[in-house]
Amino acid sequence: MQSLDFAERYSRQILFPPIGAEGQKHLAAARVAIVGCGATGSALASLLARAGVGYLRIIDRDYVEPSNLQRQVLFDESDAAESLPKAIAAARKIKSFNSQITVEPHAADLTPQNAEELLGNVDLILDGTDNFETRYLINDFAVSKGMPWIYAAAVASYAVTMTVLPGETACLACIFPDPPRGIVETCDTSGILNSAVNFVAAIACTEAIKLLVRARDKLRRTLLSYDVWTNGFTEISSAKPRSGCRACDKHDFVHLAGEGRPHITLCGRNSVQIHERQRPIDFDEISHRLTPHGPVRHNEFVLKFWSEPYELTLFPDGRAIIKGTTDTAIARSLYARYVGS
Ligand SMILES: [Zn+2]
């Protein structure tokens, strides 16, 4: 495809005076990491890629499934049929509508060990995750480096978001010293409306753009929550860091230190993730070995193996997601039996 002229491609956004030609150049030069590319992450990535953010790093540990298609706007039925890692599928889809920006996909789980590699060297981190463990890790990393990040979450019909400017506004740990009750249910247990996702992504994306075009005075300094079903709306001030905050006041980055962090974790409904070993996997070799034990198939990015009632998904770095159990001991023994101990 012939390359579209920059000014023409972004003309409708450049016409918006607070962005203008200058702001568009800032967007083109900007580097953003998006952690989690499910519903919220895909909506954020789609909006920012179309808006012309020049570099997007997309980090996601999961693969596309049919139940994602109701709300995860970057994926198609063919991605689910191939069980493509979400980061890879997202990068491919973005390339089809904006080939002029750089997208760097990482099919990986963000951990304290790889946080520097996956979150370093960007201007802004966006939250597309579905769990507080990862959000606290992002918060610790961002606060320790003085990098801005935007918290965004949606469950059922409820959306909540907050822009964190370390040293200037409250951080996640200022507002929630412990994981909040009431929004700890997940999409897997409470369902989710795609409109709640798009609502929170629209707000968070606009905050991101304001930040990147240097319109810091326009940033929202509140924790905003909105229920698209009941129309309930609340805002809590996040204008100042909380004195005594573990992260931004005491610089006690427990989540980044990763103390006591398990290498085997529950991951969505009825599944367990194992990432205790970093070992490259030869898909051809293991596929050959597993064939007598049950159906197995793989592509370049992911290998799937079925042993009723379990489904094992293996990534090239040795990480696995085992579906069909929440018992970590069973998952561990299946991994040892089929992949190796
Ligand atoms: Zn804080």
Side-chain angles (χ1 to χ4, degrees), residues 273-292:
Q273 176 184 233
I274 295 184
H275 48 93
E276 53 198 338
R277 293 169 195 84
Q278 283 282 326
R279 62 155 93 204
I281 298 277
D282 180 336
F283 280 171
D284 285 328
E285 186 271 323
I286 202 159
S287 170
H288 200 72
R289 192 147 56 75
L290 288 174
T291 300

Side-chain angles (χ1 to χ4, degrees), residues 152-303:
V155 172
S157 55
Y158 180 76
V160 55
T161 178
M162 177 172 77
T163 303
V164 177
L165 306 170
E168 197 176 324
T169 69
C171 81
L172 190 68
C174 288
I175 305 273
F176 303 114
D178 301 302
R181 287 179 213 284
I183 50 171
V184 292
E185 71 264 39
T186 70
C187 308
D188 288 331
T189 56
S190 308
I192 182 152
L193 297 186
N194 57 18
S195 52
V197 170
N198 284 5
F199 177 88
V200 83
I203 304 280
C205 168
T206 313
E207 290 291 293
I209 288 175
K210 290 183 215 173
L211 196 101
L212 298 173
V213 304
R214 321 285 201 265
R216 277 177 96 93
D217 60 317
K218 298 294 180 201
L219 291 168
R220 206 189 58 259
R221 284 163 167 82
T222 64
L223 174 84
L224 177 148
S225 67
Y226 190 77
D227 187 315
V228 295
W229 198 260
T230 65
N231 298 308
F233 174 87
T234 61
E235 270 190 295
I236 298 166
S237 174
S238 61
K240 289 271 173 290
R242 177 174 59 81
S243 144
C245 170
R246 172 188 59 73
C248 57
D249 190 6
K250 299 190 168 155
H251 291 180
D252 178 13
F253 301 119
V254 282
H255 298 275
L256 194 55
E259 284 157 23
R261 191 184 159 98
H263 292 298
I264 179 157
T265 48
L266 295 181
C267 163
R269 185 185 52 192
N270 206 22
S271 56
V272 172
Q273 176 184 233
I274 295 184
H275 48 93
E276 53 198 338
R277 293 169 195 84
Q278 283 282 326
R279 62 155 93 204
I281 298 277
D282 180 336
F283 280 171
D284 285 328
E285 186 271 323
I286 202 159
S287 170
H288 200 72
R289 192 147 56 75
L290 288 174
T291 300
H293 304 286
V296 54
R297 65 181 167 84
H298 71 91
N299 54 32
E300 169 188 357
F301 309 105
V302 65
L303 177 144

Side-chain angles (χ1 to χ4, degrees), residues 11-329:
S11 57
R12 302 307 187 269
Q13 196 165 275
I14 291 169
L15 276 171
F16 179 66
I19 294 183
E22 197 58 28
Q24 194 62 48
K25 280 187 208 149
H26 287 313
L27 292 178
R31 298 170 62 86
V32 174
I34 300 175
V35 185
C37 194
T40 308
S42 317
L44 288 168
S46 175
L47 290 168
L48 291 177
R50 288 181 193 275
V53 169
Y55 170 93
L56 291 175
R57 190 181 300 152
I58 296 179
I59 303 144
D60 192 281
R61 66 184 182 185
D62 217 343
Y63 54 90
V64 183
E65 296 180 278
S67 67
N68 302 151
L69 302 178
Q70 165 252 2
R71 65 195 178 283
Q72 303 190 8
V73 296
L74 286 177
F75 311 131
D76 292 337
E77 290 177 1
S78 63
D79 300 323
E82 281 186 70
S83 303
L84 273 188
K86 289 181 182 179
I88 304 290
R92 284 188 184 174
K93 175 54 62 68
I94 290 170
K95 201 174 170 59
S96 74
F97 63 78
N98 194 345
S99 58
Q100 299 174 350
I101 62 167
T102 302
V103 181
E104 190 185 294
H106 290 268
D109 191 27
L110 180 71
T111 63
Q113 291 72 36
N114 63 20
E116 181 74 48
E117 179 203 340
L118 293 178
L119 301 181
N121 196 21
V122 293
D123 305 307
L124 170 67
I125 303 167
L126 296 180
D127 170 20
T129 68
D130 58 359
N131 66 87
F132 259 83
E133 189 188 11
T134 310
R135 291 189 179 112
Y136 283 126
L137 175 56
I138 296 171
N139 190 67
D140 272 9
F141 183 85
V143 171
S144 74
K145 303 281 181 190
M147 285 166 65
W149 77 281
I150 302 176
Y151 161 54
V155 172
S157 55
Y158 180 76
V160 55
T161 178
M162 177 172 77
T163 303
V164 177
L165 306 170
E168 197 176 324
T169 69
C171 81
L172 190 68
C174 288
I175 305 273
F176 303 114
D178 301 302
R181 287 179 213 284
I183 50 171
V184 292
E185 71 264 39
T186 70
C187 308
D188 288 331
T189 56
S190 308
I192 182 152
L193 297 186
N194 57 18
S195 52
V197 170
N198 284 5
F199 177 88
V200 83
I203 304 280
C205 168
T206 313
E207 290 291 293
I209 288 175
K210 290 183 215 173
L211 196 101
L212 298 173
V213 304
R214 321 285 201 265
R216 277 177 96 93
D217 60 317
K218 298 294 180 201
L219 291 168
R220 206 189 58 259
R221 284 163 167 82
T222 64
L223 174 84
L224 177 148
S225 67
Y226 190 77
D227 187 315
V228 295
W229 198 260
T230 65
N231 298 308
F233 174 87
T234 61
E235 270 190 295
I236 298 166
S237 174
S238 61
K240 289 271 173 290
R242 177 174 59 81
S243 144
C245 170
R246 172 188 59 73
C248 57
D249 190 6
K250 299 190 168 155
H251 291 180
D252 178 13
F253 301 119
V254 282
H255 298 275
L256 194 55
E259 284 157 23
R261 191 184 159 98
H263 292 298
I264 179 157
T265 48
L266 295 181
C267 163
R269 185 185 52 192
N270 206 22
S271 56
V272 172
Q273 176 184 233
I274 295 184
H275 48 93
E276 53 198 338
R277 293 169 195 84
Q278 283 282 326
R279 62 155 93 204
I281 298 277
D282 180 336
F283 280 171
D284 285 328
E285 186 271 323
I286 202 159
S287 170
H288 200 72
R289 192 147 56 75
L290 288 174
T291 300
H293 304 286
V296 54
R297 65 181 167 84
H298 71 91
N299 54 32
E300 169 188 357
F301 309 105
V302 65
L303 177 144
K304 289 206 152 222
F305 170 67
W306 290 266
S307 173
E308 288 296 332
Y310 309 110
E311 178 189 299
L312 184 139
T313 303
L314 197 59
F315 297 88
D317 62 359
R319 191 168 59 86
I321 294 174
I322 291 154
K323 223 168 156 183
T325 184
T326 51
D327 184 331
T328 54

